[in-house]
Amino acid sequence: MTPPWSEGTTLLIWRWLHPTQEALNSLLDKESETMTESQRNQGFIFQMLATFYIKYVQIFRNLENVYDQIVHPQKRLLIRKILDGVMGRILELKNEMVELELTEFHYFDDILQDLKLAPQQLDIPIPKYFLKEKLEVIKGREKILAQILADTGLDMKYSVKSIPLEEAVKLIQIAERARQGRLRAMFMKQIFLQEYRAKQAKFLSEKVADLEAAALQIQKVWRGFHQHKKTEKLRQEEMIFLGMNPPPLFNEVSATIIQAEKVTSLRNEVQMKHEEKYREALVTIKDDLKLIEGPDIKENLQDQIRHWFIECRNLTGTFPDYPHVEEGGSAIIFSNKTPQQVTEDILASQEEEEKNKKNKKKAKKPKKPKEDKEKKSTREKSKEEDEGWKMSPSVFLPTMEEGNNIYKDMWRNRDESWNFPQDHDPELIKQEKRKELESEIRIQVDELMRQELKNLKLAVNREKEQPVKAGKKKGGKEKKKGKTGKKRKKDTDLTADRTIESLYKELVEEGLLIRALNVNLSDYIGEYSYLGTTLRRVSIEPMPSLLDVRQLIALYGILPLGSATVHENAPLVKSLLLAGPSGVGKKMLVHAICTETGANLFDLSAANIAGKYPGKDGLQMMLHMVSKVARQLQPSVVWIGDTEKTFYKKVPSAERMMEPKRLKKQLPKLLRLLKPDDRILIVGTTQRPFDAELQSFCKVYQKIILVPRPDYASRFVLWKQIIQRNGGIITNALNISCLAKVTDGFTQGHIVQVVKGVLTDRRIHRQNYKPLVAAEFVAALTRMSPVYQEEEESFKDWYAKTPMGKKRALALTGGTTEKGKGEKK
């Protein structure tokens, strides 16, 4: 019995990879051409980089989909290698565009139009393997965290506040009087209905009804009602056909989606089974090869090395020197070479030695005069000036090319008709393990053959060992070791006698390690900026949209934390600052980074660390514990909320007891200690960056992202989706466009608060009788204060003073003289 999704469908998914591989192949060829070319036109350079970026994003989306759905373990390893390479290349291209345009936000409206792509296809997908591969670890960590919080009583959702006795009696009295009033109103209503029914019965009995007139009236009403319903139905069908209204049952979960979820769970089980079998096969096949082919490999290596001894003796008259272990042993001589090639190499090395001796005897060349040197330097300078912009070398292109070549050579035309379940291929494992086994046996053979060579030299050439020379060499080596200089002092481990579990528990109890909210990055709702390129052409800097911010969070936060390979080799981002008014979703983005990557969340906000670990030694201990646990349980996010307090220009008198500037000197030190293999990200959030010292602020935070208030398009999408998520039904009576226009200046937090306040359980149940109207939400908005244009402009002015903002302003004005003056100053 085959599973409902059929394992053979993975073959179709694998074939779907062919067009993606062809697109990647052509893109790699184009990139190799552009690496050598130099350009001067900045507009052309950006168009080229943006085109590469968009195409790599499309390849990334396809590869991620294939890697998630395929079950063949060896193919998955290859796709994973290429996938990590594509992710890293996307980050490299993003870094190139930032350095070129001196801004974090880029707009691709014209390029998308040329490539006939929708803006939604620019979304950076988050690979599912970030969480899949460490799901058990994350679940175990969550259990431990929940247990610690339960034991300490820190997970209480509802806090019970004690109130005075008089206030409690007053509340009970109010509730009782309200109950009695409701009962009295119900009795009065029943009495009124009884009297009304009696009057109506008396009136109808007295009136003589005309049957024909009554029938005609009923017909008129019925026909009018029927035609009205028919017209309304036709109008709805027309709107659905035109795409103006969603089809019926649009928001309900269909049977297809339920079936797809079952298929996904089954596929995950098969992937795990095949990977377990593959790991077992790696061990068993190697053991079998060691028993069966091991002795033959050993004999062949010994015969090969003995033949080399004899050949060297016949050609040179002496036995050769055996290569050292550090050099690789006999593998250097016989790596993919035939015996004839080995003899040719011996003769070639002799000829080279003779040539080197002759060259040493030649006279030295006369020195050139100073004038020639000056001319040469001027030529070099002119060459550098003539050369334009060149793309910087990539770390990920070689890995992508290697993976691409393996795919073409090994997998593209491979016949897999025998492997319908898509299990591992044992022949490929044998090829890999033969090489490993040969390298292991070669080490043993080298030890034996070194001794055999010594015996041959003593027996045939009568060469004796020279202990004096050996002693000199040893002494020389010792001297070299002495010259290496002083060893660096290792950082003293303040908690060497404690386990990670105990440190983890202490940080949770102190409230420094907190539970991240279960929020996905896709929950950060917004819309694209469709006029970004147009506005920049007329020298107007557009305010970024919410989805532009979401994309930067995916690039700078989620992808590097999720993949160790990408984090080690891509442009390193150690710290990130989210600046924007209250309610725009800065904290939500921090929690989304942790949710998507399974990272630990450390809260080092000034308000949270106040009174904890007092004194200089206590602060040092706290940071040591945080960094040690964060490294051990990486990926980790260190969140500093209201981070402007850490860099206050002047501490308010009300906050002096809190000591908000405790971390000011320690944060730069913490950043310097972070290495590329430490998947730790420091994220700061602030709604008042103007209160901080700009210079020290910008030294700590490498990337500054300005989070704006939502524009009209984002507000329209926000209203629609948040109402639906909270149980609301959108009908023609609810004018969402009107709500989006009225709420100009209000943030996402305001909209969520209003929707939750209006859509109570009682209101949700009454929607069928009384549809939602915009006036209900507008009434709740009147009690809130929006973000005014002046506040948004103040954020823009502050950002213009940051290093990136200054560079951007100089580039727009072409201020080379100003830059020179600034440098002189």
Side-chain angles (χ1 to χ4, degrees):
M1 288 289 289
T2 57
W5 58 280
S6 173
E7 291 174 344
T9 52
T10 53
L11 290 168
L12 297 173
I13 295 162
W14 180 248
R15 285 172 192 164
W16 183 41
L17 181 66
H18 293 346
T20 306
Q21 183 268 335
E22 288 172 5
L24 179 62
N25 198 19
S26 63
L27 201 55
L28 290 172
D29 292 339
K30 285 179 185 176
E31 281 228 68
S32 59
E33 291 173 7
T34 54
M35 282 286 181
T36 54
E37 295 176 359
S38 62
Q39 299 290 339
R40 283 191 168 276
N41 187 352
Q42 188 172 346
F44 177 78
I45 293 165
F46 178 74
Q47 292 282 327
M48 179 182 67
L49 289 172
T51 306
F52 284 154
Y53 175 83
I54 292 167
K55 288 184 176 179
Y56 271 119
V57 169
Q58 304 310 307
I59 291 166
F60 177 31
R61 294 171 72 88
N62 292 339
L63 283 175
E64 198 280 321
N65 205 356
V66 171
Y67 182 74
D68 180 53
Q69 297 190 27
I70 206 161
V71 298
H72 196 294
Q74 289 155 305
K75 290 176 183 176
R76 280 172 63 82
L77 287 173
L78 177 62
I79 296 167
R80 172 70 178 275
K81 185 179 182 180
I82 301 171
L83 184 64
D84 286 342
V86 171
M87 275 194 286
R89 188 59 188 147
I90 286 170
L91 293 178
E92 286 178 340
L93 289 169
K94 178 67 179 177
N95 190 51
E96 291 274 355
M97 289 190 288
V98 170
E99 289 179 357
L100 183 70
E101 285 213 317
L102 302 173
T103 178
E104 299 291 347
F105 298 97
H106 308 289
Y107 305 100
F108 313 111
D109 314 339
D110 49 349
I111 303 170
L112 287 173
Q113 195 173 357
D114 294 339
L115 296 173
K116 296 180 181 178
L117 295 172
Q120 287 76 16
Q121 290 175 288
L122 269 179
D123 270 346
I124 302 294
I126 295 162
K128 297 176 187 68
Y129 79 83
F130 284 178
L131 295 176
K132 247 190 209 179
E133 293 183 355
K134 51 184 179 182
L135 197 60
E136 292 180 3
V137 177
I138 293 168
K139 284 182 178 177
R141 198 187 300 157
E142 283 179 356
K143 282 182 182 177
I144 294 166
L145 182 60
Q147 186 64 41
I148 295 168
L149 291 172
D151 294 342
T152 54
L154 296 172
D155 63 339
M156 291 180 67
K157 293 181 180 178
Y158 304 103
S159 57
V160 180
K161 292 182 180 179
S162 59
I163 57 173
L165 182 63
E166 293 178 0
E167 194 175 342
V169 171
K170 192 176 179 182
L171 286 172
I172 293 168
Q173 286 176 348
I174 290 168
E176 180 60 23
R177 284 168 186 166
R179 188 185 68 81
Q180 290 177 4
R182 284 194 297 272
L183 285 172
R184 194 179 298 111
M186 190 173 65
F187 290 144
M188 294 300 292
K189 187 179 179 181
Q190 288 176 357
I191 292 165
F192 172 76
L193 287 173
Q194 285 177 2
E195 290 177 355
Y196 179 76
R197 286 176 195 138
K199 285 179 183 178
Q200 286 292 107
K202 188 178 179 182
F203 177 74
L204 290 171
S205 61
E206 292 174 355
K207 189 176 178 182
V208 180
D210 189 359
L211 294 176
E212 290 182 3
L216 185 63
Q217 188 66 26
I218 291 168
Q219 286 176 359
K220 283 180 181 179
V221 172
W222 168 248
R223 284 174 182 171
F225 174 77
H226 182 68
Q227 187 62 37
H228 175 73
K229 286 288 182 186
K230 190 177 179 182
T231 308
E232 190 178 354
K233 187 180 178 182
L234 290 170
R235 188 172 182 279
Q236 285 179 356
E237 288 175 357
E238 184 183 2
M239 296 296 278
I240 291 166
F241 176 74
L242 294 171
M244 301 295 288
N245 283 346
L249 306 176
F250 179 72
N251 296 318
E252 292 185 9
V253 180
S254 63
T256 311
I257 294 171
I258 295 165
Q259 180 65 20
E261 289 174 357
K262 289 180 181 177
V263 168
T264 304
S265 62
L266 283 169
R267 190 191 300 118
N268 292 339
E269 289 176 9
V270 173
Q271 282 176 352
M272 290 172 68
K273 285 178 185 176
H274 285 191
E275 283 178 6
E276 285 175 8
K277 286 181 183 177
Y278 176 64
R279 290 193 204 100
E280 290 172 3
L282 289 173
V283 178
T284 54
I285 289 173
K286 187 177 179 180
D287 293 340
D288 294 342
L289 286 172
K290 198 171 186 178
L291 287 171
I292 298 166
E293 299 182 10
D296 294 337
I297 292 170
K298 190 174 182 179
E299 286 180 12
N300 290 334
L301 289 173
Q302 287 176 336
D303 293 342
Q304 194 180 25
I305 293 166
R306 286 193 188 106
H307 184 71
W308 173 57
F309 292 164
I310 296 163
E311 286 290 331
C312 285
R313 171 76 178 172
N314 293 335
L315 291 168
T316 61
T318 57
F319 286 108
D321 294 327
Y322 210 92
H324 295 288
V325 180
E326 294 82 7
E327 295 173 355
S330 60
I332 299 172
I333 303 160
F334 299 104
S335 56
N336 300 323
K337 290 182 182 178
T338 59
Q340 292 178 355
Q341 288 174 338
V342 172
T343 54
E344 287 172 5
D345 289 343
I346 295 163
L347 292 170
S349 63
Q350 278 186 341
E351 289 175 2
E352 282 179 7
E353 285 177 4
E354 289 175 3
K355 283 180 183 179
N356 290 331
K357 288 177 183 178
K358 289 178 182 178
N359 290 332
K360 285 179 183 178
K361 292 177 182 179
K362 288 182 180 180
K364 293 180 180 179
K365 294 181 180 179
K367 292 181 180 179
K368 291 184 179 180
K370 290 182 180 179
E371 293 177 1
D372 295 342
K373 286 183 179 179
E374 288 175 0
K375 286 179 182 178
K376 194 175 181 181
S377 63
T378 52
R379 282 175 190 170
E380 286 175 358
K381 284 179 182 177
S382 62
K383 279 182 182 179
E384 286 176 2
E385 288 174 0
D386 291 337
E387 285 181 0
W389 177 89
K390 276 189 178 181
M391 194 180 287
S392 55
S394 171
V395 181
F396 294 95
L397 277 176
T399 57
M400 284 193 289
E401 286 172 356
E402 185 185 347
N404 190 33
N405 292 331
I406 292 169
Y407 170 79
K408 287 191 287 186
D409 298 339
M410 188 183 294
W411 293 106
R412 188 170 188 176
N413 300 316
R414 194 178 187 86
D415 182 20
E416 288 190 283
S417 55
W418 60 275
N419 191 8
F420 182 76
Q422 287 292 283
D423 209 343
H424 62 270
D425 192 338
E427 290 301 320
L428 291 175
I429 297 173
K430 284 180 182 178
Q431 290 175 12
E432 291 176 7
K433 293 302 171 185
R434 274 195 191 100
K435 292 177 183 177
E436 286 183 20
L437 187 63
E438 187 178 340
S439 62
E440 288 175 7
I441 293 171
R442 189 180 287 278
I443 294 167
Q444 300 171 3
V445 169
D446 283 348
E447 291 178 3
L448 294 172
M449 298 311 291
R450 277 193 191 93
Q451 190 62 40
E452 189 173 327
L453 182 62
K454 283 182 183 178
N455 296 334
L456 282 171
K457 283 181 178 179
L458 289 169
V460 179
N461 297 337
R462 296 179 183 178
E463 292 177 358
K464 294 182 179 180
E465 293 180 351
Q466 297 178 1
V468 179
K469 288 182 181 178
K472 282 181 183 177
K473 282 182 183 178
K474 285 179 183 177
K477 283 182 183 177
E478 283 174 8
K479 284 178 185 176
K480 283 181 183 177
K481 283 181 183 177
K483 287 179 184 177
T484 52
K486 294 178 182 179
K487 292 181 180 179
R488 291 181 181 177
K489 289 183 180 179
K490 293 183 179 179
D491 295 330
T492 54
D493 191 354
L494 301 175
T495 55
D497 57 338
R498 295 185 61 183
T499 61
I500 292 293
E501 289 78 10
S502 66
L503 295 175
Y504 185 89
K505 185 179 180 182
E506 184 177 335
L507 289 173
V508 173
E509 289 173 350
E510 290 292 335
L512 299 177
L513 200 157
I514 61 173
R515 180 187 285 167
L517 300 175
N518 191 12
V519 179
N520 294 319
L521 191 64
S522 57
D523 295 332
Y524 192 75
I525 305 162
E527 191 52 276
Y528 294 91
S529 179
Y530 293 98
L531 298 173
T533 308
T534 310
L535 290 171
R536 278 191 174 170
R537 280 175 183 166
V538 293
S539 301
I540 297 172
E541 188 63 26
M543 203 64 182
S545 69
L546 299 183
L547 287 193
D548 293 330
V549 174
R550 189 171 89 180
Q551 200 167 24
L552 286 183
I553 294 297
L555 289 170
Y556 293 149
I558 295 173
L559 295 188
L561 283 181
S563 172
T565 308
V566 173
H567 193 275
E568 287 174 16
N569 300 310
L572 186 60
V573 177
K574 295 180 181 179
S575 55
L576 201 64
L577 176 66
L578 305 177
S582 176
V584 292
K586 301 183 292 295
K587 292 177 188 175
M588 178 185 177
L589 289 171
V590 174
H591 287 280
I593 292 171
C594 297
T595 303
E596 297 287 3
T597 59
N600 297 290
L601 182 59
F602 298 87
D603 185 4
L604 296 186
S605 305
N608 191 41
I609 64 172
K612 298 172 183 177
Y613 298 95
K616 192 176 179 181
D617 294 336
L619 182 63
Q620 191 178 356
M621 175 62 77
M622 180 184 74
L623 290 174
H624 170 74
M625 288 168 64
V626 168
S627 59
K628 187 175 181 180
V629 174
R631 279 194 182 91
Q632 194 71 25
L633 304 176
Q634 58 184 315
S636 299
V637 173
V638 179
W639 171 42
I640 305 171
D642 296 328
T643 187
E644 77 280 353
K645 294 181 179 180
T646 310
F647 303 93
Y648 263 144
K649 293 175 185 174
K650 187 179 179 182
V651 180
S653 56
E655 297 182 14
R656 281 177 189 168
M657 293 294 292
M658 194 171 68
E659 295 182 22
K661 297 175 75 172
R662 289 179 73 194
L663 291 176
K664 184 180 178 181
K665 292 180 181 178
Q666 299 297 329
L667 279 177
K669 294 177 184 176
L670 185 64
L671 278 170
R672 279 188 230 110
L673 292 172
L674 293 180
K675 298 173 185 176
D677 56 344
D678 296 330
R679 284 188 290 157
I680 301 170
L681 181 68
I682 296 174
V683 184
T685 57
T686 175
Q687 57 186 359
R688 290 196 59 81
F690 343 102
D691 297 340
E693 294 175 6
L694 187 63
Q695 191 175 0
S696 53
F697 207 44
C698 296
K699 277 183 183 177
V700 170
Y701 293 107
Q702 189 179 349
K703 295 284 183 183
I704 298 173
I705 299 173
L706 206 59
V707 186
R709 58 181 187 168
D711 55 2
Y712 169 78
S714 296
R715 290 195 303 273
F716 185 90
V717 177
L718 273 164
W719 277 111
K720 192 173 181 181
Q721 294 200 23
I722 291 171
I723 288 170
Q724 288 176 339
R725 288 184 183 187
N726 284 276
I729 299 170
I730 294 171
T731 60
N732 295 329
L734 180 60
N735 192 344
I736 295 175
S737 179
C738 174
L739 283 173
K741 287 175 184 175
V742 168
T743 51
D744 185 14
F746 289 91
T747 62
Q748 302 98 301
H750 291 139
I751 294 170
V752 170
Q753 193 177 343
V754 167
V755 171
K756 286 184 176 178
V758 171
L759 290 178
T760 58
D761 292 338
R762 185 168 178 271
R763 186 66 187 90
I764 289 167
H765 289 308
R766 292 183 63 203
Q767 283 183 103
N768 294 328
Y769 311 104
K770 188 181 177 183
L772 292 171
V773 183
E776 298 178 64
F777 300 99
V778 173
L781 281 167
T782 56
R783 295 187 291 272
M784 299 178 181
S785 56
V787 177
Y788 295 102
Q789 187 71 30
E790 292 79 11
E791 189 176 348
E792 192 171 89
E793 290 297 326
S794 64
F795 275 98
K796 275 188 178 182
D797 295 339
W798 172 82
Y799 186 75
K801 295 174 186 175
T802 61
M804 182 69 77
K806 285 179 182 177
K807 288 177 185 176
R808 176 71 178 168
L810 282 170
L812 290 172
T813 54
T816 52
T817 55
E818 291 175 14
K819 191 177 179 182
K821 286 177 185 176
E823 285 173 0
K824 283 177 186 176
K825 285 177 186 178

